[in-house]
Amino acid sequence: YQDKTVLMFDTSSYSFNELRKAASTIAYNLNKIGVKKGDKVAVLMNNRVEYIFCYYALALIGAWVIPINIRYEAAELKNVLANSEASAIIYEKHIDNFNVFNAIEDMKNDLPMLKNFIVCDNEPIEGKVLLPRILELKDDESFEDVLKKVMEIEKNVEEDATFLLAYTSGTTGNPKGVMLQHNYFVSICHNLNDLWSVERNNEVKNQSHGITMSVAPLYAAQGFMALFIELLTGETIQMCSSFIPNEILRYLNQKNVIAFHTQPTFWNLLLTVPYFHHLDLTHLQRCVVSGSLCAPTLAKKIAELTKGMVINAYGLVEATCISTITRLDDTPEVTFNTIGRPVDGVEYKIVDSDRNEVPKGEVGELALRGFNMKGYYKNPEKTKEVIDEEGWLYTGDLVKLYDDRNLSIVGRSKDMVVRGAFNVYPSDIEDCLYEFDKIHDVAVVGKPNDIMGESLVAFVVPKPGAVLKEGDIMKFCRGKISNYKIPDDVFFISQMPILESGKVKKNVLREWAVSGVPESHQLLFNNQTILNV
């Protein structure tokens, strides 16, 4: 497929040849300025095609890619650069209101390992390398010669060498650097390609080929995994710099977009666009939803609107991003209510708090083995907390068997609320409230209580134009869930605090449950602030 368009970014198109040339040229020029195998290279950019080139360029060299969350503040950025011992950074001068250039200038004296600064800019800057320049070759350099040199460099990269140093966007504590290796990415991408490839899967092999679209940030697992997996199909993947719903819908409305990689949060945004429900999206054959738990109600809505197959994918960075997935031939009940079963090469068990396997059908913590991380960088203590001597990774996610082979997520072990004598899983309450046609989004957390130990607090984002009271929430729950699961308090808010991965920051909600909702997230009904009705 060398001359076929494999990548579309916004309105630009690239063949495999052009992608290889860009990646190889960057690899060659980076190596000339001293970037070598084992070096840690941070990448801090918005979604742009150069980000994709850099992933493959750094892989060719054998350098470790450190994708940086673009929402970090200066202190968080400095913490990651220091912890990772990054020797180079590729970055944009400004990201939204964050002056990245000035921030790095202020901190670079405290980061002695950081030697190479590659700036995405066209104007010369003293002491900096310009990213557009390392995309070019000198007049006396031929690409054929450059390619030979890069291939020689690549031969020295072991298949089990670290490729990615991904810092967790966890909801508690400081981010930890997760070391992920080349061959695990390759294996998972091939296994998933076998499952959902338009060309290879018997369910869809006779359907017309088309474009796969992804809207996730390239620094996040959903973004880079969609890219890596879909390139193996030989089909075209469309990626974009904008996350504006109207722009995304413009692409989706094109009849040749047959697959869509996204996360539940983004679907919730799309559902608020008035004309979205009037679009004909029946050309979508599959919608892959990952990043956070897709509630059964939302999965049903996606299937109804698109008439396509919803594919639920589950994983965590520590297990190379994707561990279980629903299949194209699953029944709607399995698709809507489970995270499917493990991909090839992954095994699981469900354990209690002592890490002993629980009886079939009972709730327990999910443990995985197969494509697990090498460990947390420079943090063996934390590594030992989550990976045992037999290689089992304990995820912190509570699951149970839905049937003989498919798993259902119940919640996070830390999310479980002990209310009186009962263990309450917030997902039970959230799934119930998602059925309420006036609710757009909901999350439930525990709050310390002197009598009950913990009480239940629901944070609710109403649909546009809907007016709700606390009593409406209680009334809706009665008869649908056990009385001990009915929320004790309800806060109506304008939007959820979320990570870029789409996961709700439940640690923040727990703080709000105690101290109150900040003004930025307070909801106005008839110009009056509604905190707790």
Side-chain angles (χ1 to χ4, degrees):
Y1 307 109
Q2 288 301 301
D3 297 317
K4 178 182 176 181
T5 295
V6 64
L7 173 66
M8 295 172 64
F9 199 93
D10 290 342
T11 57
S12 300
S13 300
Y14 304 86
S15 67
F16 267 116
N17 267 330
E18 290 167 325
L19 178 60
R20 179 175 66 165
K21 184 173 182 178
S24 299
T25 301
I26 292 175
Y28 171 75
N29 283 321
L30 285 177
N31 190 247
K32 280 205 307 184
I33 64 173
V35 179
K36 58 187 185 302
K37 184 177 76 170
D39 283 354
K40 289 87 175 176
V41 181
V43 182
L44 178 54
M45 294 190 289
N46 283 297
N47 265 27
R48 54 191 303 148
V49 73
E50 293 92 342
Y51 209 136
I52 296 170
F53 299 158
C54 287
Y55 268 125
Y56 289 101
L58 294 168
L60 288 168
I61 297 171
W64 298 18
V65 186
I66 310 169
I68 303 286
N69 189 327
I70 62 172
R71 301 301 177 195
Y72 277 167
E73 298 292 342
E76 296 168 305
L77 172 60
K78 184 177 180 180
N79 179 54
V80 167
L81 293 175
N83 179 264
S84 65
E85 299 173 311
S87 63
I89 181 168
I90 304 170
Y91 60 106
E92 290 187 69
K93 292 174 70 175
H94 293 86
I95 294 180
D96 294 332
N97 295 323
F98 182 23
N99 191 320
V100 179
F101 186 86
N102 286 350
I104 291 175
E105 290 299 293
D106 290 342
M107 67 179 70
K108 67 180 183 180
N109 290 335
D110 296 326
L111 301 168
M113 293 288 292
L114 194 57
K115 302 295 185 183
N116 283 307
F117 303 84
I118 299 100
V119 184
C120 189
D121 200 75
N122 290 307
E123 297 298 323
I125 307 170
E126 185 178 355
K128 306 295 186 289
V129 177
L130 301 182
L131 182 57
R133 299 294 178 269
I134 62 172
L135 269 164
E136 301 171 348
L137 295 176
K138 293 180 178 179
D139 292 339
D140 60 347
E141 295 174 325
S142 71
F143 178 65
E144 290 72 21
D145 290 337
V146 165
L147 188 59
K148 288 178 183 178
K149 291 176 182 177
V150 170
M151 290 175 70
E152 285 300 315
I153 295 170
E154 184 193 6
K155 287 179 181 178
N156 295 318
V157 182
E158 300 86 357
E159 65 175 29
D160 62 351
T162 298
F163 162 57
L164 207 69
L165 182 58
Y167 277 79
T168 62
S169 58
T171 54
T172 59
N174 289 325
K176 297 179 287 292
V178 179
M179 296 181 287
L180 302 173
Q181 59 199 63
H182 284 259
N183 56 341
Y184 282 3
F185 274 104
V186 173
S187 296
I188 285 180
C189 288
H190 275 293
N191 292 344
L192 287 168
N193 182 34
D194 289 341
L195 286 178
W196 69 41
S197 166
V198 170
E199 183 173 345
R200 298 182 188 182
N201 195 285
N202 290 331
E203 292 293 317
V204 293
K205 68 178 181 181
N206 295 320
Q207 298 183 22
S208 59
H209 293 189
I211 293 172
T212 296
M213 186 174 176
S214 172
V215 297
L218 279 164
Y219 68 80
Q222 304 99 311
F224 58 71
M225 288 304 291
L227 173 72
F228 300 155
I229 294 163
E230 294 295 348
L231 280 181
L232 288 177
T233 68
E235 299 301 322
T236 303
I237 182 168
Q238 169 78 61
M239 306 192 88
C240 48
S241 56
S242 170
F243 302 116
I244 300 171
N246 285 342
E247 289 293 308
I248 302 306
L249 289 177
R250 182 171 62 84
Y251 285 115
L252 278 184
N253 201 35
Q254 298 174 16
K255 303 304 178 186
N256 56 348
V257 176
I258 61 170
F260 189 31
H261 287 262
T262 187
Q263 49 187 242
T265 307
F266 199 83
W267 276 106
N268 282 327
L269 288 174
L270 290 181
L271 291 170
T272 65
V273 178
Y275 64 84
F276 175 59
H277 300 268
H278 302 292
L279 295 178
D280 179 9
L281 298 177
T282 53
H283 51 281
L284 283 176
Q285 295 171 8
R286 53 189 166 92
C287 298
V288 183
V289 186
S290 62
S292 61
L293 184 63
C294 185
T297 305
L298 179 59
K300 290 176 187 175
K301 286 180 182 177
I302 296 170
E304 289 168 1
L305 286 166
T306 65
K307 310 301 181 188
M309 174 59 70
V310 176
I311 299 175
N312 265 321
Y314 162 85
L316 62 164
V317 174
E318 287 88 341
T320 317
C321 306
I322 298 180
S323 300
T324 72
I325 193 168
T326 57
R327 306 311 204 256
L328 289 168
D329 57 355
D330 283 336
T331 65
E333 289 72 23
V334 169
T335 298
F336 299 154
N337 293 286
T338 81
I339 54 171
R341 52 193 183 274
V343 300
D344 287 349
V346 174
E347 54 183 325
Y348 77 92
K349 63 180 180 178
I350 304 173
V351 301
D352 59 23
S353 57
D354 295 320
R355 295 185 173 177
N356 298 314
E357 290 195 59
V358 301
K360 185 176 179 179
E362 289 192 11
V363 172
E365 182 181 3
L366 177 64
L368 298 168
R369 187 165 63 181
F371 301 116
N372 293 340
M373 64 176 178
K374 291 183 174 183
Y376 293 122
Y377 185 59
K378 297 194 304 184
N379 201 337
E381 294 80 12
K382 286 292 182 182
T383 301
K384 288 180 181 178
E385 286 181 16
V386 298
I387 298 182
D388 66 17
E389 293 179 353
E390 295 181 347
W392 287 103
L393 169 70
Y394 296 89
T395 66
D397 287 316
L398 298 173
V399 302
K400 62 180 179 181
L401 275 171
Y402 180 80
D403 50 28
D404 287 337
R405 56 181 182 171
N406 293 290
L407 297 164
S408 288
I409 289 279
V410 175
R412 290 284 297 172
S413 57
K414 293 180 181 178
D415 288 345
M416 186 181 73
V417 179
V418 182
R419 185 180 184 275
F422 298 100
N423 293 339
V424 182
Y425 302 108
S427 61
D428 291 344
I429 308 165
E430 293 162 356
D431 287 347
C432 172
L433 289 174
Y434 271 123
E435 298 284 348
F436 197 166
D437 59 7
K438 290 185 177 181
I439 289 178
H440 173 65
D441 206 358
V442 62
V444 176
V445 298
K447 172 185 174 181
N449 183 281
D450 292 338
I451 298 174
M452 303 296 291
E454 287 183 282
S455 59
L456 294 164
V457 181
F459 288 86
V460 174
V461 179
K463 285 186 176 179
V467 177
L468 290 167
K469 297 179 181 178
E470 185 178 68
D472 298 328
I473 304 300
M474 313 303 191
K475 183 178 179 181
F476 183 83
C477 290
R478 291 191 186 103
K480 297 182 177 67
I481 54 177
S482 303
N483 60 357
Y484 65 84
K485 296 181 181 179
I486 295 175
D488 300 288
D489 297 290
V490 179
F491 286 85
F492 296 100
I493 59 177
S494 59
Q495 61 183 11
M496 292 289 173
I498 59 172
L499 296 161
E500 288 299 316
S501 63
K503 297 176 183 177
V504 174
K505 295 180 179 179
K506 288 206 167 181
N507 60 320
V508 172
L509 293 183
R510 282 187 278 270
E511 292 174 7
W512 292 1
V514 175
S515 60
V517 179
E519 186 175 345
S520 60
H521 285 68
Q522 291 175 8
L523 188 65
L524 293 177
F525 287 148
N526 296 325
N527 295 321
Q528 292 188 0
T529 302
I530 305 297
L531 293 181
N532 184 270
V533 183

